[in-house]
Amino acid sequence: MALWGGRFSDGPADAVFALSRSVHFDWRLAPYDLRSSLAHLEILQSSGLLTADVAGAIRGALLELTAEVATGEFQAIASDEDVHSALERGLTEKLGDIGGSLRAGRSRNDQVTTDLRLYAIDHMLEVATQIINLQEALIAKANEYADAPAPGFTHLQHAQPIIFGHEIAKHAHAFARDLDRISDWLVRTSVSPLGSGALAGSSLPLSPEKTAAALGFTSSSANSIDGVSDRDFVAEALFVLAMVGSHLSRIGEEWCIWATTEFGWAKVADAYSTGSSIMPQKKNPDMAELARGKAGRLVGNLTGLLTTLKGLPFAYNRDLQEDKEPLFDSIDTVLLVLPAVTGMVATTNFDREKMALAAPLGFSLATEIADYLVRAHVPFAHAHEAAGKCVALCESSGRQLHQLTDSEFAEIHPSLQPDVRDVLTVHGALASRTTIGGTSPSSFAEQIKSLKELVQSDFKKFNDKKRAFSAMMGQ
Ligand code: ARG
């Protein structure tokens, strides 16, 4: 059923209808559209624009439709243009002409962006929950390897020894920032555009603040033109999702590297691996690769929307219909990847022995020599130079740092006493990195303790918000 047409002598050409139509993707806004219609109905009734009888009938039909949409009993049909027209068809099928009453004081322009905000809030809260699940898996895995030395890398070259748990835990911190971003985003997104009308507000006695509160928003739009035009919340959500995707991708990349025969550190569980159709021996870390690969489309969705928005005059333009598919796709993608990566992390085992053997390789203890000299009051530039000479001598003579003789050490720098060998152990190097956030067992224990507290409080925060949102949706 068309929501317009009074001034037209002819209906839209087939190609026009096909291009205009959005119901095949915006149908997922139906529950939110119905909920915001109920809020709008309250105001139409309380301001006396609808009688109690009419409002009661519409309320009953909206609630029926809500149930029928949930079960799939009511669905969009080929002639519906968008979710709003499909649901108005549903109302008029039930109620006759009064089904069209809800359009008073409201335009699809404020309606669609209100629906999209509600959809986005609902789903970003789910993303937050899934991120927390992944953080919990990362923390558990990090704890499992709290005492496992491994080489740490810069430039993918051995740099300094680290505790492998420290390596795993770093990812949980990246996701903590994503949760922070979702919290910030929720504050800015909690503004209801309902009441902005087509662009100029309404001459009817509506109360946008009341509808805003009924829908769980903190406030209503302070400028009706901005209200219908603002898609910052979509762009920001797409950025947050792209950032989450990038963090997932970086986990994927590490898992791929660690699972190579050359590294041989990671044993990815069968349930999270795939085989090859031709090479019977293959076990590939496809989940890690897909986590990496999906990041591309998440970045693409963000740049696509920013390109749509750039240069768009304010107030509603049909270009804005293009805001939905990238958001839906990014949310679907992230909600698909997060549980798979969580499972992969939780079920991967690492070869402690291989990692421990690799920890001191590549002269990864050279910094210990430099730090030893600094403690003997040698300026760092000289200390660095001397440690470099030790490495060069080892390289040319096929030895490890602790194998240099007392006189070789002394010749390179007089402050290099035989006790320098005390710091040339992986264990000693790890134990000495006691700065906050460092890789020493004591710093790591502190890190995990506060990380757990953070995740717990985030869990509570997002769970409360989810509960409040569900309560609002169920009224
Ligand atoms: N399907 C449209 C969208 O998603 C709804 C708003 C249409 N408004 C209009 N004035 N044509 O943006």
Side-chain angles (χ1 to χ4, degrees):
M1 193 191 84
L3 298 183
W4 46 272
R7 83 183 298 286
F8 289 80
S9 56
D10 208 354
D14 287 352
V16 170
F17 185 69
L19 179 57
S20 297
R21 196 165 182 266
S22 57
V23 74
H24 50 291
F25 58 81
D26 67 18
W27 183 242
R28 56 169 102 189
L29 297 180
Y32 310 97
D33 196 80
L34 288 161
R35 179 63 190 91
S36 64
S37 286
L38 281 167
H40 184 59
L41 176 69
E42 292 299 322
I43 295 301
L44 293 182
Q45 182 182 357
S46 63
S47 60
L49 292 168
L50 291 181
T51 63
D53 283 356
V54 170
I58 297 177
R59 187 172 301 108
L62 283 172
L63 293 172
E64 261 174 51
L65 270 180
T66 303
E68 288 166 12
V69 164
T71 59
E73 197 181 322
F74 182 81
Q75 286 179 359
I77 56 173
S79 56
D80 292 325
E81 181 188 325
D82 58 18
V83 60
H84 322 293
S85 36
L87 292 172
E88 187 166 318
R89 174 177 60 76
L91 272 187
T92 43
E93 279 169 11
K94 288 182 189 295
L95 302 170
D97 281 350
I98 61 164
S101 315
L102 272 183
R103 239 194 279 159
R106 190 174 68 167
S107 151
R108 279 186 295 167
N109 298 354
D110 57 348
Q111 198 177 348
V112 72
T113 180
T114 304
D115 296 355
L116 194 61
R117 273 178 202 254
L118 292 174
Y119 171 90
I121 291 169
D122 197 7
H123 287 80
M124 290 300 272
L125 289 175
E126 183 54 27
V127 168
T129 302
Q130 295 293 335
I131 289 177
I132 292 169
N133 288 345
L134 173 54
Q135 284 181 308
E136 282 168 350
L138 286 163
I139 293 172
K141 196 48 68 175
N143 254 334
E144 222 178 297
Y145 294 91
D147 57 354
F153 298 88
T154 64
H155 311 265
L156 214 50
Q157 304 287 323
H158 282 217
Q160 291 171 345
I162 43 112
I163 292 180
F164 193 63
H166 191 54
E167 188 85 279
I168 299 288
K170 73 192 179 209
H171 291 299
H173 293 277
F175 289 115
R177 291 191 294 276
D178 291 328
L179 291 177
D180 242 18
R181 277 183 268 271
I182 294 176
S183 290
D184 293 347
W185 172 88
L186 281 167
V187 174
R188 275 187 300 283
T189 303
S190 193
V191 179
S192 168
L194 207 58
S196 295
L199 81 164
S202 180
S203 64
L204 300 176
L206 306 178
S207 175
E209 321 86 81
K210 276 197 191 142
T211 23
L215 295 174
F217 290 108
T218 313
S219 62
S220 66
S221 298
N223 179 312
S224 57
I225 306 174
D226 182 47
V228 292
S229 324
D230 171 21
R231 294 297 185 279
D232 295 9
F233 73 99
V234 185
E236 284 189 50
L238 289 176
F239 170 75
V240 174
L241 294 164
M243 201 71 243
V244 170
S246 164
H247 291 146
L248 290 165
S249 170
R250 293 174 81 173
I251 292 184
E253 170 67 359
E254 288 188 348
W255 247 251
C256 288
I257 293 174
W258 293 338
T260 56
T261 306
E262 284 66 24
F263 265 74
W265 292 6
K267 295 270 169 292
V268 181
D270 281 2
Y272 289 91
S273 309
T274 49
S276 154
S277 55
I278 181 170
M279 297 167 282
Q281 86 286 5
K282 287 286 286 231
K283 184 173 150 186
N284 297 321
D286 285 23
M287 292 310 101
E289 292 164 37
L290 283 167
R292 203 174 50 189
K294 294 281 188 193
R297 68 196 286 159
L298 295 170
V299 175
N301 287 336
L302 169 63
T303 51
L305 181 80
L306 288 173
T307 312
T308 299
L309 295 180
K310 177 199 167 296
L312 202 62
F314 263 57
Y316 184 82
N317 300 273
R318 195 58 178 271
D319 315 44
L320 289 175
Q321 185 164 295
E322 290 297 305
D323 59 357
K324 289 167 212 59
E325 283 166 294
L327 182 66
F328 296 160
D329 183 69
S330 286
I331 282 175
D332 289 350
T333 301
V334 165
L335 288 178
L336 199 59
V337 178
L338 275 167
V341 171
T342 302
M344 180 186 79
V345 167
T347 56
T348 300
N349 288 319
F350 294 91
D351 190 327
R352 290 167 183 273
E353 208 177 321
K354 255 196 184 141
M355 295 193 297
L357 282 173
L361 300 185
F363 306 107
S364 65
L365 295 169
T367 316
E368 309 315 308
I369 298 183
D371 286 353
Y372 169 94
L373 287 172
V374 167
R375 281 191 289 274
H377 306 294
V378 176
F380 188 76
H382 291 221
H384 184 283
E385 175 85 9
K389 283 190 174 143
C390 294
V391 170
L393 183 55
C394 285
E395 244 176 356
S396 63
S397 58
R399 283 177 293 167
Q400 294 299 315
L401 290 167
H402 66 274
Q403 293 169 326
L404 295 181
T405 64
D406 290 358
S407 58
E408 282 170 330
F409 273 130
E411 218 167 286
I412 287 171
H413 197 288
S415 300
L416 284 177
Q417 297 299 307
D419 68 353
V420 68
R421 289 191 193 82
D422 295 348
V423 300
L424 289 177
T425 64
V426 169
H427 181 78
L430 291 176
S432 68
R433 296 284 188 274
T434 52
T435 41
I436 184 162
T439 202
S440 74
S442 58
S443 301
F444 178 71
E446 280 300 314
Q447 178 199 157
I448 290 292
K449 190 169 159 274
S450 40
L451 192 54
K452 274 186 179 162
E453 283 164 12
L454 180 65
V455 171
Q456 256 161 27
S457 81
D458 277 342
F459 175 81
K460 193 186 164 333
K461 182 169 80 185
F462 284 106
N463 214 33
D464 288 351
K465 286 182 193 297
K466 268 177 111 168
R467 260 207 295 258
F469 192 88
S470 306
M472 179 281 293
M473 285 298 286
Q475 313 150 67

